[in-house]
Amino acid sequence: MKATFTILMTLFLSVMTYAEVSVSEKNALIELNKATQGQNWTKKWDFNAPVITWYGVKLFNDRVVAIDLSDNNLSGMLPTNISDLKYLRTLNLFKNQISGTIPQSIGNLKSLQVLNLSFNKLSGSIPLEIANATSLKEIVLFMNNISGNIPSTIGMLNNLQVLSLYNNELVGEIPNTLYDLKSLKVLELNSNKLSGNISDSISNLASLENLSLFDNNMKGQVPINIEKLQNLAVLNISYNNFNGFVTKKLASKDVMSMTMINDKGVAVTLNVHSDKDKAVASEE
């Protein structure tokens, strides 16, 4: 009886060890490898070995649920058939040399929760179709060359907690739909070319902990409604073209003490008067 049990367990473990993913998922992985110059990767894949042994690939029930190839010398472009990895929850390609655009097909990844393509050489715009990946909790695209507007469709991602797009070439205004993301905790849009105002609707972002709009071309009055964000721990909206008055409480929250750029290109600070709960702009 013990011998039979031992044999069965051996067979079971053998099957588990060499379990394979579907043909479409395996082909998508192979295409990702080829499209990003897999022969030059720091840690390479052996196509003759089971997928479960491939570096950075995590399986669950013979399905690819996570890929983490961060800092692995990937270059080239992302293939469109990456959407065949339909059970993928995490795609982390941080700190590589990937160029080209974000494929529209990324929106077909309905299970995707974390998308990290930061610190690459991506260009073009953020596809509108990204909003079709309705499980997304984190979109992390900082340190690229991404241009165009922030798509208003992102406001459809009700589960989104992190939107980190800093150090890109984004233009235009923050879409109003973004202020509907009640689960959003981190909004990092600094060091872009954004314009327009901060809407009073920012008070809708009740979960927000980090708001960074530093180094853009935004203007107008800083809305006092920011004070209603009870969970806000980090605020940096300096080096924009904001003007007018802010309260003492709001001025004290900003990392750089509300240092702005006026219409002459001169740095100005918002000085808080001790006898008033407001601040005025004065040149340094």
Side-chain angles (χ1 to χ4, degrees), residues 44-266:
K44 301 175 176 61
W45 288 348
D46 179 1
F47 293 151
N48 294 316
V51 172
I52 197 171
T53 67
W54 294 5
Y55 172 76
V57 177
K58 181 179 179 181
L59 304 184
F60 181 75
N61 289 338
D62 302 337
R63 296 168 174 174
V64 180
V65 295
I67 298 174
D68 185 350
L69 296 171
S70 53
D71 198 13
N72 199 44
N73 200 38
L74 278 68
S75 57
M77 301 171 63
L78 295 176
T80 57
N81 74 332
I82 197 169
S83 59
D84 288 341
L85 299 167
K86 57 185 179 179
Y87 304 105
L88 197 64
R89 299 173 191 167
T90 299
L91 178 60
N92 185 357
L93 304 179
F94 165 75
K95 199 177 181 184
N96 283 290
Q97 303 293 321
I98 300 170
S99 57
T101 60
I102 301 170
Q104 296 178 356
S105 58
I106 209 86
N108 295 329
L109 297 173
K110 305 296 185 183
S111 298
L112 192 65
Q113 296 179 13
V114 177
L115 175 65
N116 189 340
L117 304 178
S118 57
F119 223 118
N120 278 282
K121 296 182 177 180
L122 292 166
S123 57
S125 58
I126 301 171
L128 299 175
E129 292 81 3
I130 198 170
N132 295 329
T134 51
S135 297
L136 273 171
K137 293 182 178 180
E138 298 184 18
I139 299 176
V140 184
L141 305 176
F142 64 81
M143 297 294 288
N144 278 287
N145 298 307
I146 298 171
S147 57
N149 298 319
I150 300 171
S152 60
T153 53
I154 285 181
M156 299 166 57
L157 296 171
N158 296 324
N159 298 308
L160 198 65
Q161 297 179 9
V162 175
L163 182 60
S164 185
L165 308 178
Y166 65 85
N167 280 91
N168 278 289
E169 300 292 326
L170 295 167
V171 298
E173 301 184 12
I174 297 175
N176 287 329
T177 54
L178 209 62
Y179 299 110
D180 295 328
L181 297 174
K182 298 185 184 302
S183 297
L184 198 64
K185 295 181 179 180
V186 176
L187 180 58
E188 297 176 323
L189 305 178
N190 49 288
S191 299
N192 279 285
K193 298 177 180 177
L194 297 174
S195 57
N197 304 329
I198 301 176
S199 170
D200 284 336
S201 299
I202 195 164
S203 58
N204 294 337
L205 303 179
S207 301
L208 202 62
E209 300 172 359
N210 183 339
L211 173 62
S212 183
L213 305 176
F214 168 80
D215 188 25
N216 277 289
N217 301 314
M218 301 185 71
K219 62 182 181 179
Q221 176 72 46
V222 177
I224 193 173
N225 279 0
I226 293 178
E227 290 186 12
K228 296 180 180 179
L229 301 175
Q230 298 299 317
N231 295 307
L232 192 64
V234 178
L235 173 67
N236 192 351
I237 62 175
S238 288
Y239 282 85
N240 278 282
N241 306 128
F242 295 125
N243 53 48
F245 303 105
V246 295
T247 65
K248 183 187 300 183
K249 180 179 179 181
L250 197 54
S252 66
K253 278 181 172 287
D254 188 73
V255 172
M256 299 188 71
S257 303
M258 297 286 181
T259 302
M260 303 300 167
I261 303 296
N262 67 14
D263 56 3
K264 297 179 182 178
V266 177

Side-chain angles (χ1 to χ4, degrees), residues 242-244 257-262 266-273 279-284:
F242 295 125
N243 53 48
S257 303
M258 297 286 181
T259 302
M260 303 300 167
I261 303 296
N262 67 14
V266 177
V268 299
T269 55
L270 295 177
N271 296 321
V272 181
H273 290 282
V280 295
S282 62
E283 293 189 7
E284 288 183 326

